[in-house]
Coordinates of all heavy atoms in Angstrom, one line a residue:
E277 N -62.5 11.5 5.4 CA -61.7 11.0 6.4 C -61.8 9.4 6.5 O -62.9 8.9 6.2 CB -62.0 11.6 7.8 CG -61.2 11.1 9.0 CD -59.7 11.4 8.8 OE1 -59.0 10.7 8.0 OE2 -59.2 12.3 9.5
R278 N -60.8 8.8 6.9 CA -60.8 7.3 7.2 C -60.0 7.1 8.4 O -58.7 7.4 8.4 CB -60.2 6.6 6.0 CG -60.1 5.0 6.2 CD -59.3 4.4 5.1 NE -59.2 3.0 5.1 CZ -58.2 2.3 5.6 NH1 -57.2 3.0 6.2 NH2 -58.1 1.0 5.6
I279 N -60.6 6.6 9.4 CA -59.9 6.3 10.7 C -60.1 4.9 11.1 O -61.2 4.3 11.1 CB -60.4 7.2 11.9 CG1 -60.2 8.7 11.6 CG2 -59.8 6.8 13.2 CD1 -60.8 9.6 12.6
V280 N -58.9 4.2 11.3 CA -58.9 2.8 11.7 C -58.2 2.7 13.0 O -57.2 3.4 13.3 CB -58.4 1.8 10.7 CG1 -59.3 1.8 9.4 CG2 -57.0 2.3 10.2
H281 N -58.5 1.7 13.9 CA -57.8 1.3 15.1 C -57.2 0.0 14.9 O -57.9 -0.9 14.5 CB -58.7 1.5 16.3 CG -59.0 2.8 16.7 ND1 -59.6 3.1 17.9 CD2 -58.7 4.0 16.1 CE1 -59.7 4.5 18.0 NE2 -59.2 5.0 17.0
R282 N -56.0 -0.2 15.3 CA -55.3 -1.5 15.1 C -54.7 -2.0 16.4 O -54.2 -1.3 17.3 CB -54.1 -1.2 14.1 CG -53.5 -2.5 13.6 CD -52.1 -2.3 13.0 NE -51.1 -2.1 14.0 CZ -49.8 -2.0 13.7 NH1 -49.4 -2.0 12.4 NH2 -48.9 -1.9 14.7
T283 N -54.8 -3.3 16.6 CA -54.1 -4.0 17.6 C -53.3 -5.2 17.0 O -53.6 -5.6 15.9 CB -55.0 -4.5 18.7 OG1 -55.9 -5.5 18.1 CG2 -55.7 -3.4 19.4
T284 N -52.3 -5.7 17.7 CA -51.5 -6.8 17.2 C -51.3 -7.8 18.3 O -51.1 -7.4 19.5 CB -50.2 -6.3 16.6 OG1 -49.5 -5.5 17.6 CG2 -50.4 -5.5 15.4
V285 N -51.2 -9.1 17.9 CA -50.9 -10.2 18.8 C -49.4 -10.5 18.8 O -48.8 -10.5 17.7 CB -51.7 -11.4 18.5 CG1 -51.3 -12.6 19.3 CG2 -53.1 -11.1 18.6
V286 N -48.8 -10.7 19.9 CA -47.4 -11.0 20.1 C -46.9 -12.1 19.2 O -47.7 -13.1 19.0 CB -47.0 -11.2 21.5 CG1 -47.6 -12.5 22.1 CG2 -45.4 -11.2 21.7
G287 N -45.8 -12.0 18.6 CA -45.3 -13.1 17.7 C -44.0 -13.8 18.2 O -43.5 -13.4 19.3
D288 N -43.6 -14.8 17.5 CA -42.4 -15.5 17.8 C -41.3 -15.2 16.9 O -41.4 -14.4 16.0 CB -42.7 -17.0 17.8 CG -43.2 -17.5 16.5 OD1 -43.3 -16.7 15.6 OD2 -43.5 -18.7 16.3
L289 N -40.1 -15.9 17.1 CA -39.0 -15.7 16.2 C -39.1 -16.5 15.0 O -39.2 -17.7 15.1 CB -37.7 -16.0 16.9 CG -37.3 -15.2 18.1 CD1 -36.1 -15.8 18.9 CD2 -37.0 -13.7 17.7
P290 N -39.2 -15.9 13.8 CA -39.4 -16.7 12.5 C -38.2 -17.7 12.3 O -37.1 -17.4 12.7 CB -39.4 -15.7 11.4 CG -39.9 -14.4 12.1 CD -39.3 -14.5 13.5
S291 N -38.5 -18.8 11.7 CA -37.5 -19.9 11.4 C -37.5 -20.2 9.9 O -38.6 -20.1 9.3 CB -37.8 -21.2 12.2 OG -37.6 -21.0 13.6
G292 N -36.4 -20.4 9.4 CA -36.3 -20.7 8.0 C -36.2 -22.2 7.7 O -36.0 -23.0 8.7
P293 N -36.3 -22.6 6.5 CA -36.2 -24.1 6.1 C -34.9 -24.7 6.5 O -34.8 -26.0 6.8 CB -36.3 -24.1 4.6 CG -37.0 -22.8 4.3 CD -36.5 -21.8 5.3
D294 N -33.8 -23.9 6.6 CA -32.5 -24.5 7.0 C -32.2 -24.4 8.4 O -31.1 -24.7 8.9 CB -31.4 -23.7 6.2 CG -31.4 -22.2 6.5 OD1 -32.3 -21.8 7.2 OD2 -30.4 -21.5 6.0
G295 N -33.2 -24.0 9.2 CA -33.1 -23.9 10.7 C -32.6 -22.6 11.2 O -32.6 -22.4 12.4
F296 N -32.4 -21.6 10.3 CA -32.0 -20.3 10.8 C -33.1 -19.6 11.5 O -34.3 -19.7 11.0 CB -31.5 -19.4 9.6 CG -31.2 -18.0 10.1 CD1 -29.9 -17.7 10.5 CD2 -32.1 -17.0 10.0 CE1 -29.6 -16.4 10.9 CE2 -31.8 -15.7 10.4 CZ -30.6 -15.4 10.9
V297 N -32.9 -19.1 12.7 CA -33.9 -18.4 13.5 C -33.6 -16.9 13.6 O -32.4 -16.5 13.7 CB -33.9 -19.0 14.9 CG1 -34.9 -18.2 15.8 CG2 -34.2 -20.5 14.9
S298 N -34.6 -16.1 13.3 CA -34.4 -14.6 13.3 C -33.7 -14.1 14.6 O -34.0 -14.7 15.7 CB -35.8 -14.0 13.1 OG -36.4 -14.3 11.9
R299 N -33.0 -13.1 14.4 CA -32.3 -12.5 15.6 C -32.3 -11.0 15.4 O -32.3 -10.4 14.3 CB -31.0 -13.0 15.8 CG -29.9 -12.8 14.7 CD -28.6 -13.3 15.2 NE -27.5 -13.1 14.2 CZ -27.1 -13.9 13.3 NH1 -27.6 -15.1 13.3 NH2 -26.1 -13.6 12.5
S300 N -32.2 -10.3 16.5 CA -32.2 -8.8 16.6 C -30.7 -8.4 16.4 O -29.8 -8.9 17.0 CB -32.7 -8.3 17.9 OG -32.5 -6.9 17.9
L301 N -30.5 -7.5 15.4 CA -29.2 -6.8 15.3 C -29.1 -5.5 16.0 O -28.1 -5.0 16.4 CB -28.9 -6.6 13.8 CG -28.9 -7.9 12.9 CD1 -28.5 -7.5 11.5 CD2 -27.9 -8.9 13.5
K302 N -30.3 -4.9 16.3 CA -30.3 -3.7 17.0 C -31.8 -3.5 17.5 O -32.7 -3.6 16.7 CB -30.0 -2.5 16.2 CG -29.9 -1.2 16.9 CD -29.5 0.0 16.0 CE -28.1 -0.2 15.5 NZ -27.6 1.0 14.7

Side-chain angles (χ1 to χ4, degrees):
E277 180 63 285
R278 175 188 186 269
I279 297 175
V280 292
H281 284 190
R282 191 196 80 173
T283 59
T284 53
V285 175
V286 66
D288 57 0
L289 295 170
S291 296
D294 60 354
F296 178 84
V297 178
S298 295
R299 63 174 182 262
S300 175
L301 302 181
K302 185 179 294 185

